[in-house]
Amino acid sequence: MSAIETICVQGGYTPGNGEPREIPIIQSTTFRYDTGEDMGKLFDLEASGYFYTRLQNPTNDLVAAKIRDLEGGTAAMLTSSGQAANFFAMFNLAGCGDHIVASSSIYGGTFNLISVTMARMGIEVTFVSPDCTDAELDAAFRPNTKLLFGETIANPALTVLDIEQFAKAAHRHGVPLIVDNTFATPVNCRPIEWGADIVTHSTTKYMDGHGVAVGGAIVDGGRFDWMAHADRFPGLCTPDESYHGVTYAERFGQGGAFITKCTAQLMRDFGAIQSPQHAFYLNLGLESLHVRMARHCENGQAMAEFLASHPKVSHVSYCGLPGDPYHERALKYLPKGSCGVVSFELRGGREAAGVFMNSLKLAAIETHVADARTCCLSPASTTHRQMTAEQLAQAGIPAGLVRLSCGLEHKEDLIADVAQALEKV
Ligand SMILES: *Cc1c(COP(=O)(O)O)cnc(C)c1O
């Protein structure tokens, strides 16, 4: 299958004669075998198949295959959340005593995961600006660096990553680039085509799109040659004693090693699996992703233009605006549009933002974005409240920032709602 629209609707699953038209939900924790030897082969990774839903489930794998094809990757897996996806993607490569480099302009939950929880596991991080020079990027790498991480469109700062620049820097230093593509979705950007090696998603956002199922996904682009950097990635390139000495990069090749290791080790040991029911909901969302993204972008663009011309608004971040610092990059990486999320600052700071949000009628205050229903949030007082003033500034988040996620309603209704709320400020 070729076009992204067709993959959204039909990718991942092709029913045989007389089989269910829609992806079946395999609501079973376990799977039956005729002999102990049959099952033993699965445990040794000698045969592929299912034995326990904490590691893998057929429904999940059908939906993961659709996301793999949407991103143009070679293998993919679902996780219980976007947090689990980003943690697994990084922890699959980096452990105690290792170092990673990450863009400072990332989701608050990921920032916390890296700078607090992974630090407690002995993984050090150097944050770099998404606008850093090549020299600044190069200076961040160390001999024990295992990966570079960034977001295509950062939540909530809405900076756009120069994926090619970051990919080249990662590859100069012999490590893969991991890109969280949650906000752009593969409908608007396919990071692997620009050099990214691993792509992650919070499928909770646009992919589900209806606010019903928390979930995540990891896609391997299959382009990173682990064996060429075997010393740096012993987990992929030397025998895993917990699987009778299988060497992932040898047995499963460049296209399969990363996801197989991630499933066999991390899913086995942490069990952050998405439920098959959630995978089914996710698939329903994916079936209309291409149609919805176009409307989210249309509404986001109209809202950004309205806000930019409003006297009570001091600043609007939306890469679809010609004056936005990321407009040029968006033309390159996001030619079809970016997303429905618009960030803006009100004259009057945190207090004005509070009055504005409390006055909205259609848009609801929610810890959520990328939903069919318009919603809004003040990042500094909610999702990013664990960050210090300095960290907020580094992540490009002023105290009075409002993040407005334009849903699928009619744009005139949304603008009228925002206009009346601005009058109250
Ligand atoms: C929401 C989000 C996450 C975390 O995903 P959850 O599904 O909430 O765990 C990670 N990255 C980005 C860019 C997000 O927007």
Side-chain angles (χ1 to χ4, degrees), residues 81-83 86 107 110 151 155 180 182-183 202 204-205 214-215:
S81 67
Q83 285 297 108
N86 281 327
Y107 176 64
T110 312
E151 290 178 14
N155 174 12
D180 181 331
T182 298
F183 268 24
S202 166
T204 319
K205 313 295 164 55
V214 172

Side-chain angles (χ1 to χ4, degrees), residues 71 130-131 134 137 148-153 159-172 176-181 184-185 188-199 223 326 329-330 332-335:
E71 288 289 5
D131 306 320
D134 283 344
L137 254 178
L148 177 60
F149 180 90
E151 290 178 14
T152 310
I153 305 170
T159 55
V160 178
L161 192 70
D162 190 337
I163 301 173
E164 272 191 326
Q165 181 202 12
F166 271 57
K168 282 179 187 153
H171 299 158
R172 271 202 297 284
L177 172 65
I178 301 177
V179 172
D180 181 331
N181 197 33
T185 83
N188 285 339
C189 180
R190 306 215 306 168
I192 292 166
E193 288 174 356
W194 298 104
D197 300 286
I198 311 288
V199 172
R223 300 212 184 143
Y326 298 96
R329 253 181 227 170
K332 174 174 173 179
Y333 292 108
L334 303 157

Side-chain angles (χ1 to χ4, degrees), residues 207-403:
M207 283 191 167
D208 163 19
H210 299 79
V212 296
V214 172
I218 307 171
V219 182
D220 181 9
R223 300 212 184 143
F224 195 85
D225 187 351
W226 308 108
M227 279 311 217
H229 305 279
D231 290 349
R232 197 183 289 270
F233 301 106
L236 283 152
C237 303
T238 57
D240 177 0
E241 293 316 327
S242 72
Y243 278 104
H244 303 297
V246 59
T247 298
Y248 294 99
E250 273 172 6
R251 176 86 69 84
F252 301 100
Q254 212 170 295
F258 186 87
I259 293 294
T260 305
K261 175 177 180 287
C262 203
T263 302
Q265 292 180 339
L266 301 186
M267 207 49 108
R268 175 194 64 188
D269 295 351
F270 291 99
I273 192 88
Q274 189 165 138
S275 84
Q277 185 80 40
H278 277 194
F280 176 82
Y281 294 140
L282 169 57
N283 186 58
L284 286 183
L286 291 171
E287 287 179 7
S288 63
L289 182 65
H290 54 302
V291 181
R292 291 184 291 105
M293 284 313 289
R295 175 60 76 90
H296 281 298
C297 291
E298 180 188 334
N299 286 355
Q301 183 72 31
M303 183 62 74
E305 285 168 14
F306 168 77
L307 289 167
S309 67
H310 200 285
K312 287 184 182 168
V313 175
S314 61
H315 181 76
V316 181
S317 291
Y318 190 75
C319 64
L321 292 175
D324 190 87
Y326 298 96
H327 188 62
E328 285 295 313
R329 253 181 227 170
L331 291 177
K332 174 174 173 179
Y333 292 108
L334 303 157
K336 287 197 265 179
S338 56
C339 64
V341 184
V342 183
S343 290
F344 61 98
E345 251 184 285
L346 287 168
R347 295 186 204 286
R350 196 186 288 254
E351 205 181 312
V355 174
F356 168 77
M357 296 213 304
N358 294 345
S359 307
L360 289 167
K361 295 190 169 103
L362 269 181
I365 300 172
E366 289 171 24
T367 306
H368 193 40
V369 282
D371 188 0
R373 292 149 293 244
T374 296
C375 55
C376 72
L377 183 88
S378 156
S381 50
T382 54
T383 48
H384 289 63
R385 66 184 297 137
Q386 281 91 352
M387 289 167 73
T388 64
E390 201 175 81
Q391 286 170 335
L392 280 174
Q394 206 185 6
I397 301 160
L401 190 78
V402 176
R403 181 184 71 184

